[in-house]
Amino acid sequence: MKFIRKKKHIVGIFALLAFISIGSIGFSSWILSIEQKEELFSADINIATSWNATAILNVTSTTNSISSDTTDSNVANYKVPLEGGVIFANDIEEEVKKGKLVFSLDAINKSSKEVDGDKNKVKATNNLFGRTNEETYSYFGTSLKEFNVSNLVNDPKYDLSGYSKLNLSLEDFSIEYGDYFNNTNPQVFYDGYITTYKNNYLENRDNKEALNTYLEAINQAKNELRDFFNSLNNVTLNINVELVFDDKSTN
């Protein structure tokens, strides 16, 4: 019986050391090894516009889908160039140029073809990674939040009598990582926190809480990344462009 108990104890220590070694090889390398390297998720792109009776907003894009890769870039490189314009009656030009374009992003499941919740939104379930527990965050956001209509350029070729058009051309518009990852690459984001927890444990080896926090962070990061990939697989990302004429703020 003593031998059996001792064997279990040794096995338990070995399993713990193996778990701790995950952090020592680099979290980014480890987390990539548990995911498919060819394509982690893909999404269709849709441009949705809204405006009031003052003017007409038309926005399109030549990009209709994006796919993730395994690069370690700190920023998402999902360019979605936008083009279009604002059409209005000449006698309200001054009012129109006081407006602004407001950009936002949401995601819906493209298989169900129903809005069953914004897949781009996620509620924090812990405060291990600098978030406020129970607060809602976004996986992705847009590189541009607002754009003043006054910065658009008149279209000299638009020849409808009594009306004018302001051209919109945003070649560098893109989808970027959201505030859930502090607007940086998720793998880099988690790696920074886990390295901090790891170093804290190494400096306080007799502190059981430091060890537990380190192990909890590794496991939680793994689960959150899997939720991220699963949530954004097979979705349509709606880039919402709204023409507003007040002090509406963006999130």
Side-chain angles (χ1 to χ4, degrees):
M1 294 297 292
K2 288 184 179 180
F3 174 75
I4 293 175
R5 284 198 298 269
K6 184 176 181 181
K7 183 177 181 180
K8 287 183 178 180
H9 184 61
I10 292 174
V11 171
I13 293 175
F14 176 77
L16 179 61
L17 291 175
F19 195 25
I20 293 175
S21 70
I22 289 174
S24 65
I25 66 173
F27 182 72
S28 295
S29 300
W30 168 69
I31 201 67
L32 280 176
S33 70
I34 67 171
E35 302 293 347
Q36 294 181 358
K37 295 188 177 182
E38 290 79 13
E39 183 175 276
L40 298 179
F41 74 89
S42 62
D44 289 345
I45 297 296
N46 178 61
I47 312 297
T49 58
S50 60
W51 64 90
N52 62 21
T54 305
I56 297 174
L57 173 64
N58 178 40
V59 182
T60 61
S61 178
T62 55
T63 299
N64 55 24
S65 66
I66 61 172
S67 295
S68 68
D69 55 33
T70 58
T71 62
D72 289 328
S73 171
N74 282 349
V75 295
N77 188 27
Y78 305 129
K79 281 195 174 183
V80 185
L82 301 180
E83 58 185 21
V86 179
I87 301 172
F88 54 90
N90 290 337
D91 59 355
I92 60 169
E93 179 175 359
E94 184 177 346
E95 178 184 353
V96 170
K97 288 188 174 181
K98 293 179 181 178
K100 61 186 174 183
L101 302 178
V102 178
F103 302 90
S104 62
L105 189 72
D106 59 53
I108 61 173
N109 189 306
K110 63 184 179 183
S111 294
S112 64
K113 296 182 180 180
E114 296 179 358
V115 180
D116 54 354
D118 184 358
K119 303 297 184 180
N120 190 47
K121 298 296 184 183
V122 57
K123 183 176 288 188
T125 59
N126 61 81
N127 56 8
L128 287 169
F129 306 112
R131 309 185 192 106
T132 301
N133 195 26
E134 297 298 318
E135 286 289 319
T136 299
Y137 295 84
S138 297
Y139 286 131
F140 280 114
T142 56
S143 58
L144 188 63
K145 311 305 180 189
E146 294 182 356
F147 191 86
N148 291 328
V149 174
S150 59
N151 291 327
L152 300 179
V153 179
N154 280 297
D155 185 349
K157 297 180 180 180
Y158 193 78
D159 58 2
L160 182 62
S161 179
Y163 290 85
S164 296
K165 178 185 177 183
L166 296 173
N167 284 335
L168 172 69
S169 180
L170 300 174
E171 290 296 322
D172 293 328
F173 188 91
S174 64
I175 294 173
E176 63 181 16
Y177 295 118
D179 55 2
Y180 190 67
F181 306 117
N182 197 28
N183 305 112
T184 191
N185 183 301
Q187 292 156 0
V188 175
F189 169 78
Y190 287 115
D191 194 44
Y193 277 97
I194 288 177
T195 297
T196 298
Y197 288 130
K198 170 188 170 183
N199 291 337
N200 184 49
Y201 161 67
L202 292 176
E203 294 171 1
N204 302 275
R205 291 180 181 270
D206 295 330
N207 188 322
K208 184 178 180 180
E209 184 177 351
L211 174 60
N212 289 340
T213 301
Y214 173 40
L215 299 179
E216 182 184 359
I218 292 176
N219 189 59
Q220 186 63 36
K222 178 190 69 174
N223 293 336
E224 289 183 3
L225 274 177
R226 281 182 169 156
D227 289 344
F228 166 53
F229 296 136
N230 291 336
S231 294
L232 291 179
N233 190 40
N234 197 39
V235 300
T236 295
L237 290 176
N238 290 317
I239 298 176
N240 304 298
V241 188
E242 184 178 5
L243 176 60
V244 299
F245 298 94
D246 55 23
D247 296 327
K248 178 178 179 178
S249 59
T250 58
N251 293 324

